Amino acid sequence: MFDGIDVSQYQGDIDWEKVKNHIDYAILRCGYGQDILAQDDPTFKRNADECTRLNIPFGVYLYSYATDEKSALSEARHILRLVAGYQLDYPVYLDLEDPRIGRLTNEQIERNCRAWVDEMEKNNYYSGFYASYYWWTSKLTGALFSKYTKWVARYADELGTQGYQMWQYTDNGFVEGINAPVDRDICYVDFSKIIDHQASTIYKVGDHVTFNHVFISSDSTVPLIPYMNHGTITKIEPNARNPYLIGEGLGWINNESIISNDYLSNSTYKGDSLVEALKQIGYDTTFESRKKLAQLNGINDYTGTAKQNLELLQLLKIGQLKQ
């Protein structure tokens, strides 16, 4: 069994240095409702950054207000926006307890949850649902809910039932470092062995990728705007938050950073040499490599003539050179 807490803005400014000595994991509220900035939990980023810095395993939850599939999908995107760049060692949960959801039919609740969890799975997040024991036994009765991890709230000395992977046993707990009552939880599953972070390294050394932001290190949580938005992966650190090193130090990126690896681009190059333009982005400039590029871009008789190279260079400058 693993001893944990779940926290939100209502726990205030947490001293995670003290807390880490008393827990095995934390579940952090990232927000509530649809993908609106005003509905982000104002303490989430600090809590996530502190858990990351101190190596406290964590997952997240979002308090749901969704009454239809469209709003449920927005809630999924709300989470995806906030957790991008973080390594989650525990699941992402949808918190189902709002009275407005409780007034829906069980079938509508299930449809909403299916829309939410499908979007989370499409983005490779291990997901589940949180609810009271009453909700689990009276409202969340559809077949969908048997497929995902269950977190139950039941305030008692013993859970007294089976089929749940995590149990919230009080909302009035105490942990040194938190100056407010806090929810306490017991987890019966070692999620660190279930959630596969190896899946985060789907690219390989030598891949040339386009990306929208970089990080200063493999474990940084602060995205930066790059001065160049493409480059070649030169090193991989498996299980790191940002596993891919670009070039000789342009920055580190992760899957969420990458826009595409289908095309090469060098819009900043002003010269007329294909070889120099490729060198500038760290791409292999050997004849065989250029011949392969030519064939992929419709030049099957590539011999390295000036005309052929200029044609490839023009594609490179507009970001349309297939690789």
Side-chain angles (χ1 to χ4, degrees):
M1 295 192 299
F2 301 89
D3 191 14
I5 57 174
D6 60 273
V7 300
S8 69
Q9 68 187 89
Y10 301 112
Q11 276 66 53
D13 193 9
I14 296 173
D15 186 342
W16 287 100
E17 291 274 6
K18 293 180 179 178
V19 170
K20 72 174 182 178
N21 298 316
H22 304 284
I23 64 170
D24 298 312
Y25 69 95
I27 308 296
L28 314 176
R29 190 181 76 161
C30 61
Y32 51 92
Q34 297 185 47
D35 190 11
I36 301 170
L37 289 174
Q39 293 182 175
D40 296 354
D41 188 303
T43 62
F44 171 68
K45 185 178 187 306
R46 179 182 180 275
N47 288 340
D49 287 347
E50 283 293 277
C51 285
T52 299
R53 180 178 69 87
L54 297 167
N55 294 316
I56 300 172
F58 71 96
V60 304
Y61 77 93
L62 180 131
Y63 185 97
S64 177
Y65 290 110
T67 56
D68 56 35
E69 291 97 322
K70 182 179 179 181
S71 54
L73 185 59
S74 180
E75 292 188 342
R77 290 170 179 164
H78 191 177
I79 297 171
L80 292 171
R81 171 171 60 82
L82 291 169
V83 301
Y86 289 108
Q87 178 175 297
L88 304 183
D89 295 300
Y90 277 74
V92 175
Y93 292 98
L94 192 64
D95 180 343
L96 300 169
E97 59 180 287
D98 191 79
R100 281 165 285 192
I101 298 175
R103 290 192 288 268
L104 302 173
T105 65
N106 289 8
E107 291 74 19
Q108 184 63 55
I109 295 174
E110 185 174 11
R111 285 195 292 271
N112 298 345
C113 289
R114 180 175 288 110
W116 177 84
V117 79
D118 283 352
E119 184 69 9
M120 298 308 300
E121 283 198 327
K122 186 170 72 175
N123 287 275
N124 300 316
Y125 283 96
Y126 195 97
S127 306
F129 300 94
Y130 163 94
S132 67
Y133 182 71
Y134 170 74
W135 274 55
W136 277 117
T137 54
S138 65
K139 299 181 183 298
L140 310 183
T141 56
L144 172 77
F145 298 104
S146 64
K147 300 177 182 178
Y148 298 95
T149 185
K150 298 179 180 181
W151 178 15
V152 62
R154 195 180 198 190
Y155 303 153
D157 293 333
E158 295 182 358
L159 177 55
T161 186
Q162 296 181 336
Y164 302 97
Q165 290 72 49
M166 192 154 69
W167 170 33
Q168 184 187 84
Y169 60 89
T170 182
D171 62 352
N172 195 35
F174 170 79
V175 173
E176 184 182 3
I178 302 178
N179 297 320
V182 62
D183 298 340
R184 299 302 306 268
D185 303 276
I186 290 175
C187 186
Y188 302 100
V189 176
D190 187 353
F191 280 113
S192 66
K193 294 182 179 179
I194 296 176
I195 298 176
D196 183 11
H197 297 303
Q198 291 288 348
S200 66
T201 54
I202 61 177
Y203 297 91
K204 63 184 184 299
V205 170
D207 282 350
H208 191 92
V209 294
T210 304
F211 40 87
N212 54 18
H213 55 265
V214 298
F215 297 85
I216 195 170
S217 67
S218 62
D219 60 356
S220 171
T221 61
V222 181
L224 304 172
I225 302 299
Y227 70 85
M228 183 181 293
N229 71 339
H230 54 85
T232 300
I233 296 173
T234 56
K235 181 181 179 181
I236 295 178
E237 288 193 4
N239 294 325
R241 181 179 305 285
N242 315 303
Y244 312 114
L245 176 65
I246 299 299
E248 297 302 317
L250 177 62
W252 293 82
I253 63 173
N254 53 42
N255 288 336
E256 289 72 30
S257 311
I258 294 173
I259 302 171
S260 169
N261 73 327
D262 295 327
Y263 296 92
L264 295 175
S265 173
N266 190 348
S267 60
T268 63
Y269 181 70
K270 302 301 182 183
D272 57 4
S273 168
L274 174 64
V275 170
E276 289 303 316
L278 290 172
K279 279 184 179 178
Q280 195 175 84
I281 61 173
Y283 198 81
D284 182 5
T285 60
T286 62
F287 178 83
E288 287 303 317
S289 177
R290 285 182 282 125
K291 183 177 181 179
K292 179 181 177 182
L293 285 176
Q295 291 173 339
L296 289 172
N297 289 274
I299 303 175
N300 295 316
D301 58 345
Y302 182 78
T303 57
T305 67
K307 181 181 178 182
Q308 291 171 333
N309 285 343
L310 183 60
E311 185 177 340
L312 295 175
L313 179 60
Q314 293 304 318
L315 291 173
L316 179 65
K317 285 183 175 181
I318 63 173
Q320 292 297 314
L321 185 64
K322 294 180 182 178
Q323 66 164 325

